[in-house]
Amino acid sequence: MSIATIEKMPTALSGDARAGKYLTFVLGREEFAIRVIKVREIMKIQDITAVPQTPGYVKGVINLRGKVIPVVDLRLKFGLAELEYTPRTCIIVVQMQGEGVTVQTGLVVDEVSEVLSLAANEIENTPDFGEGAGAAYLLGMAKVKGKVKILLDIDQVLNSQELGGVDALIRK
Amino acid sequence: MFEAGNLLRQRVDDLATRLVMGETDVTLWSTLLGNVREQAEAGGEAEVARLAAQAIDKLPSAAAGVASFEVLFSADILALQKAAAGESAPVTAPAPGPVKAPPVALGEDPEMIADFILESREHLHQVEIQMMTLEKDPGDMEAINTVFRGFHTIKGLAGFLDFADIREVAHETETLLDLARNQEVRITSRIVDLVLAAADFLKVWLTRLEAQLAGGDPGPAPETALLLERLKQGATPGESAVAAPATPAVTTAPVVNTAPAASASSVKVDTSKLDALVDMAGEMVIAQAMVRHHPELAALQSPALLRSLAQLARITGEVQKTAMSMRMVPVAGLFQKMNRLVRDLGRKTGKQAEMEAFGAETELDRNVVEELADPLMHMVRNAMDHGLEPPEERRAAGKDPQGRVRLKASHQAGHIVIEIADDGRGLVREKILAKARRTGLVEDGEHLSDHDVFNYIFHPGFSTAAQVTDVSGRGVGMDVVKRQIQKLRGRIDIESQPGQGTSFFLRLPLTLAMIDGLVVGVGQERYVLPIFSVHEVLQPKAEMIFTVEGRQEMAMVRESLLPVVRLYRRLGVAPCSEEAAECLLVVAEAGDQRFCLMVDKLIGKQEVVIKSLGEQLRDTPGVAGGAILGDGRVSLILDLDRIYRLGTA
């Protein structure tokens, strides 16, 4: 099954739709995963030019081979404590389909781990934390070798303003 | 009496043109039809008056959208035209046929249609240029042949693609031109009008086809039957001989230097590819600089290596320049449009005018040229309507009855200056001042320079025009023009001598893609200020700064008190120093406000390519975009007007 067809299938309840290749990365003590097809490239942390009058999680802009793209600190986006950048800090450049144009955004994460192939039977639905159904940006949870990875719908993450709930997951 | 009849006929013809062009402004129709009726009544043309009144009665239903203007009016206006031309009105007006806007069957091959649109547009562009020439010199066989060939080709292609309306109009125009070619019909202004109306009609169709190709709504079809009827009338030799007006109202000079540009071979390229090329060229220059200044290479101290690196620098610079220049187009096309406008307006207002164009080969960024069309059109319209006097008045003032509108493009210090000048009555200082007093802009007894006074015409809602005509003085004013020019990061200046004429000078950047920037440092950050809004940079002394009401700081610069904006406060960064004496003041002007920006240091002057910050950050207040500096890092280009207003809001 090609990746393109996976993308077109409903992401709702079927475990099959969520199966596929994921890039995993670390924020704090948790591991997250986003679809590899969304990832354009990964780069070491570099100087970011701050932009005034923007939400705190927007760290600023960088030069990606002649194009200026915004950079979002995923820690701050999820309401986690700010952490000083280290040599392991990475920027994952993801691309999304905007209105007629491809929009690229950089995501600052603590550390990039690996690319994983997730089978349908490894993926479970997000548990209910008493706030109704799991937030829209959470695709589900995957258990690999006894460790839990949180699957993110990165489009939803970047399109929504307030992102509570992740800390609840992490505190658990 | 003859004069009056001629004017009436012109007005009716104008109605017909508007109908063909799809004018739908009900108020305008009502005014125009009212004029015709009054004039017809005064001139004893009872039949014309009756028909005009009949058309006015139908206006409400057109306004309510019951039926389109074409359906309602085409029969009436045709009858009006005939009545005005002295013929008896037909007992039954020819049925215009139901004008619907059926989507044209586009056939199998959209690419062929796209080619047809492109080719036809080029022909129509030539037709406009040549018709201008023909109006001046009706005997120019080459011009007639070019126009004839244009319509002939369009007819052939339209026939092949089965676009009946286009084919018929092209065919009738061709017939008319054939008669002219065989000297059976003289080319008069009326014939020129007809051919141009046909060209406009075809343009509307091409736009509709294009919209349909793109999957959009083509909009209403223009009225065909009326135009065909007019073309057929025009092709009747007797008719046109009578219609030859006593004096050609307008002569227009062909735009200088268009021919060589047209003959150069060219390639059409998608603009996104061009943008990518410009991006990459910019990156190459940066990468090249990084290699060239790399300390390890410098340590080698090899002359051969240095020579090669210098060569590389030169070539990359050249590549970037060439990439940038690919977006540039000559202003000739724009001037051509104005030429046509001057001609049409001359016919409409009964003024005699000649348009002169200089420097049409001057090149400007495509985007600037496109954005410039509207303000330029507005200013030319003003020059024709308010600037130039009617022929009698000019004669009385001892001037050539034929007025001049001059368009001139030239390079000046990295900018392009476009001058729009007329030799009309000029701006009347007293009139503007009186109006400014009435609207409370000026206090009595205030002394103002001519420059200040003239600038009042850029205030919203400021018009000294005694009467609103359908040409100008309606809706958009000079304030809109000024705003559009400022949006293009340009400036507008006025010079005027009473009785001698008025000149407007538009000073514009060559491109919107690049900007001359002043790079300043605030704390750890660097920002780019557009140099066109910077007046000077100075090192303040502590006693130059005053504090008003304990908060707002002011600086005394050359005997004027200017507000001080501490840039680090607006942008929320930590400065190197808060002590005014250790900082620099950048005297800037944005909007109409002059103020001082306090920055830590001056880094340099640099030409930078403006990059969008992307969808999410596009509307960040105070930031106009991003620039990639020599070290590959991004720096923000500031929007000084917004920066200033961030504090006052």
Side-chain angles (χ1 to χ4, degrees), chain A residues 15-16 18-22 24 33 116-123 141-144 149 151:
Chain A
D16 286 348
R18 293 178 289 182
K21 284 193 169 180
Y22 284 80
T24 64
L116 278 182
S117 272
L118 294 179
N121 59 11
E122 292 174 300
I123 301 173
M141 319 277 276
K143 272 198 195 111
V144 183
K149 324 254 179 205
L151 309 190

PDB file of all heavy atoms in Angstrom, chain A residues 15-16 18-22 24 33 116-123 141-144 149 151:
ATOM      1  N   GLY A  15      -7.666   1.331  12.668  1.00  0.00           N
ATOM      2  CA  GLY A  15      -6.246   1.261  13.003  1.00  0.00           C
ATOM      3  C   GLY A  15      -5.389   1.240  11.763  1.00  0.00           C
ATOM      4  O   GLY A  15      -4.282   1.769  11.753  1.00  0.00           O
ATOM      5  N   ASP A  16      -5.920   0.666  10.684  1.00  0.00           N
ATOM      6  CA  ASP A  16      -5.169   0.554   9.436  1.00  0.00           C
ATOM      7  C   ASP A  16      -4.721   1.906   8.907  1.00  0.00           C
ATOM      8  O   ASP A  16      -3.601   2.063   8.442  1.00  0.00           O
ATOM      9  CB  ASP A  16      -6.045  -0.116   8.365  1.00  0.00           C
ATOM     10  CG  ASP A  16      -6.172  -1.598   8.641  1.00  0.00           C
ATOM     11  OD1 ASP A  16      -5.412  -2.109   9.486  1.00  0.00           O
ATOM     12  OD2 ASP A  16      -7.035  -2.221   8.010  1.00  0.00           O
ATOM     13  N   ARG A  18      -3.950   4.511  10.342  1.00  0.00           N
ATOM     14  CA  ARG A  18      -2.872   5.171  11.078  1.00  0.00           C
ATOM     15  C   ARG A  18      -1.546   4.433  10.948  1.00  0.00           C
ATOM     16  O   ARG A  18      -0.519   4.941  11.350  1.00  0.00           O
ATOM     17  CB  ARG A  18      -3.260   5.295  12.550  1.00  0.00           C
ATOM     18  CG  ARG A  18      -4.428   6.257  12.764  1.00  0.00           C
ATOM     19  CD  ARG A  18      -4.830   6.315  14.213  1.00  0.00           C
ATOM     20  NE  ARG A  18      -5.479   5.070  14.628  1.00  0.00           N
ATOM     21  CZ  ARG A  18      -5.975   4.864  15.841  1.00  0.00           C
ATOM     22  NH1 ARG A  18      -5.864   5.817  16.760  1.00  0.00           N
ATOM     23  NH2 ARG A  18      -6.566   3.732  16.142  1.00  0.00           N
ATOM     24  N   ALA A  19      -1.588   3.233  10.409  1.00  0.00           N
ATOM     25  CA  ALA A  19      -0.350   2.473  10.271  1.00  0.00           C
ATOM     26  C   ALA A  19       0.543   3.127   9.224  1.00  0.00           C
ATOM     27  O   ALA A  19       0.064   3.801   8.318  1.00  0.00           O
ATOM     28  CB  ALA A  19      -0.673   1.042   9.857  1.00  0.00           C
ATOM     29  N   GLY A  20       1.836   2.948   9.367  1.00  0.00           N
ATOM     30  CA  GLY A  20       2.749   3.520   8.393  1.00  0.00           C
ATOM     31  C   GLY A  20       4.023   3.985   9.059  1.00  0.00           C
ATOM     32  O   GLY A  20       4.325   3.612  10.195  1.00  0.00           O
ATOM     33  N   LYS A  21       4.784   4.816   8.320  1.00  0.00           N
ATOM     34  CA  LYS A  21       6.089   5.250   8.833  1.00  0.00           C
ATOM     35  C   LYS A  21       5.974   6.560   9.611  1.00  0.00           C
ATOM     36  O   LYS A  21       5.306   7.483   9.171  1.00  0.00           O
ATOM     37  CB  LYS A  21       7.061   5.435   7.670  1.00  0.00           C
ATOM     38  CG  LYS A  21       7.561   4.131   7.131  1.00  0.00           C
ATOM     39  CD  LYS A  21       8.742   4.356   6.220  1.00  0.00           C
ATOM     40  CE  LYS A  21       9.392   3.020   5.905  1.00  0.00           C
ATOM     41  NZ  LYS A  21      10.540   3.152   5.023  1.00  0.00           N
ATOM     42  N   TYR A  22       6.633   6.586  10.746  1.00  0.00           N
ATOM     43  CA  TYR A  22       6.610   7.773  11.596  1.00  0.00           C
ATOM     44  C   TYR A  22       8.012   8.185  11.980  1.00  0.00           C
ATOM     45  O   TYR A  22       8.901   7.346  12.142  1.00  0.00           O
ATOM     46  CB  TYR A  22       5.809   7.499  12.877  1.00  0.00           C
ATOM     47  CG  TYR A  22       4.317   7.494  12.658  1.00  0.00           C
ATOM     48  CD1 TYR A  22       3.675   6.377  12.137  1.00  0.00           C
ATOM     49  CD2 TYR A  22       3.560   8.613  12.977  1.00  0.00           C
ATOM     50  CE1 TYR A  22       2.314   6.371  11.924  1.00  0.00           C
ATOM     51  CE2 TYR A  22       2.188   8.629  12.772  1.00  0.00           C
ATOM     52  CZ  TYR A  22       1.570   7.503  12.242  1.00  0.00           C
ATOM     53  OH  TYR A  22       0.216   7.519  12.030  1.00  0.00           O
ATOM     54  N   THR A  24      10.011   9.749  15.044  1.00  0.00           N
ATOM     55  CA  THR A  24       9.772   9.972  16.472  1.00  0.00           C
ATOM     56  C   THR A  24      10.792  10.960  17.026  1.00  0.00           C
ATOM     57  O   THR A  24      11.917  11.051  16.547  1.00  0.00           O
ATOM     58  CB  THR A  24       9.852   8.653  17.272  1.00  0.00           C
ATOM     59  OG1 THR A  24      11.179   8.146  17.184  1.00  0.00           O
ATOM     60  CG2 THR A  24       8.885   7.625  16.752  1.00  0.00           C
ATOM     61  N   ALA A  33       5.408  11.119  17.801  1.00  0.00           N
ATOM     62  CA  ALA A  33       5.660  10.652  16.440  1.00  0.00           C
ATOM     63  C   ALA A  33       4.794  11.421  15.458  1.00  0.00           C
ATOM     64  O   ALA A  33       3.632  11.716  15.745  1.00  0.00           O
ATOM     65  CB  ALA A  33       5.352   9.156  16.342  1.00  0.00           C
ATOM     66  N   LEU A 116      10.139   4.939  12.436  1.00  0.00           N
ATOM     67  CA  LEU A 116       9.547   3.655  12.813  1.00  0.00           C
ATOM     68  C   LEU A 116       8.443   3.275  11.852  1.00  0.00           C
ATOM     69  O   LEU A 116       7.706   4.144  11.390  1.00  0.00           O
ATOM     70  CB  LEU A 116       8.883   3.777  14.190  1.00  0.00           C
ATOM     71  CG  LEU A 116       9.715   3.669  15.455  1.00  0.00           C
ATOM     72  CD1 LEU A 116       8.772   3.792  16.635  1.00  0.00           C
ATOM     73  CD2 LEU A 116      10.444   2.330  15.477  1.00  0.00           C
ATOM     74  N   SER A 117       8.326   1.984  11.559  1.00  0.00           N
ATOM     75  CA  SER A 117       7.151   1.513  10.836  1.00  0.00           C
ATOM     76  C   SER A 117       6.167   0.982  11.867  1.00  0.00           C
ATOM     77  O   SER A 117       6.515   0.063  12.619  1.00  0.00           O
ATOM     78  CB  SER A 117       7.533   0.386   9.875  1.00  0.00           C
ATOM     79  OG  SER A 117       7.916   0.933   8.655  1.00  0.00           O
ATOM     80  N   LEU A 118       4.999   1.578  11.926  1.00  0.00           N
ATOM     81  CA  LEU A 118       4.022   1.143  12.916  1.00  0.00           C
ATOM     82  C   LEU A 118       2.940   0.314  12.242  1.00  0.00           C
ATOM     83  O   LEU A 118       2.340   0.754  11.252  1.00  0.00           O
ATOM     84  CB  LEU A 118       3.401   2.344  13.627  1.00  0.00           C
ATOM     85  CG  LEU A 118       4.358   3.160  14.511  1.00  0.00           C
ATOM     86  CD1 LEU A 118       3.606   4.336  15.132  1.00  0.00           C
ATOM     87  CD2 LEU A 118       4.984   2.291  15.588  1.00  0.00           C
ATOM     88  N   ALA A 119       2.704  -0.884  12.760  1.00  0.00           N
ATOM     89  CA  ALA A 119       1.632  -1.734  12.229  1.00  0.00           C
ATOM     90  C   ALA A 119       0.342  -1.389  12.958  1.00  0.00           C
ATOM     91  O   ALA A 119       0.355  -0.801  14.039  1.00  0.00           O
ATOM     92  CB  ALA A 119       1.988  -3.200  12.436  1.00  0.00           C
ATOM     93  N   ALA A 120      -0.767  -1.782  12.338  1.00  0.00           N
ATOM     94  CA  ALA A 120      -2.076  -1.420  12.894  1.00  0.00           C
ATOM     95  C   ALA A 120      -2.231  -1.939  14.319  1.00  0.00           C
ATOM     96  O   ALA A 120      -2.768  -1.246  15.185  1.00  0.00           O
ATOM     97  CB  ALA A 120      -3.181  -1.981  12.009  1.00  0.00           C
ATOM     98  N   ASN A 121      -1.744  -3.157  14.596  1.00  0.00           N
ATOM     99  CA  ASN A 121      -1.963  -3.735  15.925  1.00  0.00           C
ATOM    100  C   ASN A 121      -1.104  -3.086  17.015  1.00  0.00           C
ATOM    101  O   ASN A 121      -1.237  -3.384  18.189  1.00  0.00           O
ATOM    102  CB  ASN A 121      -1.756  -5.256  15.891  1.00  0.00           C
ATOM    103  CG  ASN A 121      -0.343  -5.615  15.438  1.00  0.00           C
ATOM    104  OD1 ASN A 121       0.525  -4.747  15.358  1.00  0.00           O
ATOM    105  ND2 ASN A 121      -0.139  -6.889  15.142  1.00  0.00           N
ATOM    106  N   GLU A 122      -0.200  -2.215  16.606  1.00  0.00           N
ATOM    107  CA  GLU A 122       0.617  -1.527  17.620  1.00  0.00           C
ATOM    108  C   GLU A 122      -0.017  -0.207  18.047  1.00  0.00           C
ATOM    109  O   GLU A 122       0.476   0.455  18.947  1.00  0.00           O
ATOM    110  CB  GLU A 122       2.020  -1.235  17.055  1.00  0.00           C
ATOM    111  CG  GLU A 122       2.850  -2.495  16.819  1.00  0.00           C
ATOM    112  CD  GLU A 122       4.160  -2.194  16.130  1.00  0.00           C
ATOM    113  OE1 GLU A 122       4.114  -1.662  14.996  1.00  0.00           O
ATOM    114  OE2 GLU A 122       5.216  -2.479  16.714  1.00  0.00           O
ATOM    115  N   ILE A 123      -1.084   0.203  17.333  1.00  0.00           N
ATOM    116  CA  ILE A 123      -1.669   1.523  17.586  1.00  0.00           C
ATOM    117  C   ILE A 123      -2.981   1.398  18.348  1.00  0.00           C
ATOM    118  O   ILE A 123      -3.839   0.595  18.000  1.00  0.00           O
ATOM    119  CB  ILE A 123      -1.907   2.270  16.252  1.00  0.00           C
ATOM    120  CG1 ILE A 123      -0.567   2.423  15.515  1.00  0.00           C
ATOM    121  CG2 ILE A 123      -2.549   3.632  16.492  1.00  0.00           C
ATOM    122  CD1 ILE A 123      -0.698   2.975  14.125  1.00  0.00           C
ATOM    123  N   MET A 141      -2.039   6.270  20.297  1.00  0.00           N
ATOM    124  CA  MET A 141      -0.814   5.935  21.025  1.00  0.00           C
ATOM    125  C   MET A 141      -0.264   4.651  20.411  1.00  0.00           C
ATOM    126  O   MET A 141      -1.019   3.767  20.033  1.00  0.00           O
ATOM    127  CB  MET A 141      -1.116   5.648  22.499  1.00  0.00           C
ATOM    128  CG  MET A 141      -2.114   6.585  23.134  1.00  0.00           C
ATOM    129  SD  MET A 141      -1.325   8.080  23.663  1.00  0.00           S
ATOM    130  CE  MET A 141      -0.720   7.569  25.248  1.00  0.00           C
ATOM    131  N   ALA A 142       1.056   4.558  20.362  1.00  0.00           N
ATOM    132  CA  ALA A 142       1.648   3.316  19.863  1.00  0.00           C
ATOM    133  C   ALA A 142       2.542   2.741  20.956  1.00  0.00           C
ATOM    134  O   ALA A 142       3.236   3.481  21.650  1.00  0.00           O
ATOM    135  CB  ALA A 142       2.468   3.597  18.610  1.00  0.00           C
ATOM    136  N   LYS A 143       2.493   1.414  21.116  1.00  0.00           N
ATOM    137  CA  LYS A 143       3.377   0.775  22.098  1.00  0.00           C
ATOM    138  C   LYS A 143       4.429   0.000  21.336  1.00  0.00           C
ATOM    139  O   LYS A 143       4.122  -0.918  20.590  1.00  0.00           O
ATOM    140  CB  LYS A 143       2.571  -0.176  22.985  1.00  0.00           C
ATOM    141  CG  LYS A 143       1.989   0.528  24.188  1.00  0.00           C
ATOM    142  CD  LYS A 143       1.577  -0.469  25.260  1.00  0.00           C
ATOM    143  CE  LYS A 143       0.689   0.199  26.276  1.00  0.00           C
ATOM    144  NZ  LYS A 143      -0.705  -0.286  26.215  1.00  0.00           N
ATOM    145  N   VAL A 144       5.667   0.421  21.472  1.00  0.00           N
ATOM    146  CA  VAL A 144       6.756  -0.268  20.795  1.00  0.00           C
ATOM    147  C   VAL A 144       7.790  -0.658  21.840  1.00  0.00           C
ATOM    148  O   VAL A 144       8.311   0.214  22.538  1.00  0.00           O
ATOM    149  CB  VAL A 144       7.404   0.633  19.725  1.00  0.00           C
ATOM    150  CG1 VAL A 144       8.495  -0.127  18.979  1.00  0.00           C
ATOM    151  CG2 VAL A 144       6.342   1.148  18.769  1.00  0.00           C
ATOM    152  N   LYS A 149       4.560   5.822  22.396  1.00  0.00           N
ATOM    153  CA  LYS A 149       4.802   6.979  21.533  1.00  0.00           C
ATOM    154  C   LYS A 149       3.441   7.638  21.287  1.00  0.00           C
ATOM    155  O   LYS A 149       2.454   6.943  21.028  1.00  0.00           O
ATOM    156  CB  LYS A 149       5.372   6.565  20.169  1.00  0.00           C
ATOM    157  CG  LYS A 149       6.310   5.385  20.232  1.00  0.00           C
ATOM    158  CD  LYS A 149       7.728   5.812  20.050  1.00  0.00           C
ATOM    159  CE  LYS A 149       8.633   4.583  20.149  1.00  0.00           C
ATOM    160  NZ  LYS A 149       9.977   4.915  20.554  1.00  0.00           N
ATOM    161  N   LEU A 151       1.131   9.661  18.925  1.00  0.00           N
ATOM    162  CA  LEU A 151       1.044  10.011  17.503  1.00  0.00           C
ATOM    163  C   LEU A 151       0.331  11.356  17.351  1.00  0.00           C
ATOM    164  O   LEU A 151      -0.777  11.543  17.837  1.00  0.00           O
ATOM    165  CB  LEU A 151       0.283   8.931  16.724  1.00  0.00           C
ATOM    166  CG  LEU A 151       0.745   7.483  16.930  1.00  0.00           C
ATOM    167  CD1 LEU A 151       0.057   6.575  15.911  1.00  0.00           C
ATOM    168  CD2 LEU A 151       2.261   7.363  16.793  1.00  0.00           C
TER     169      LEU A 151
END
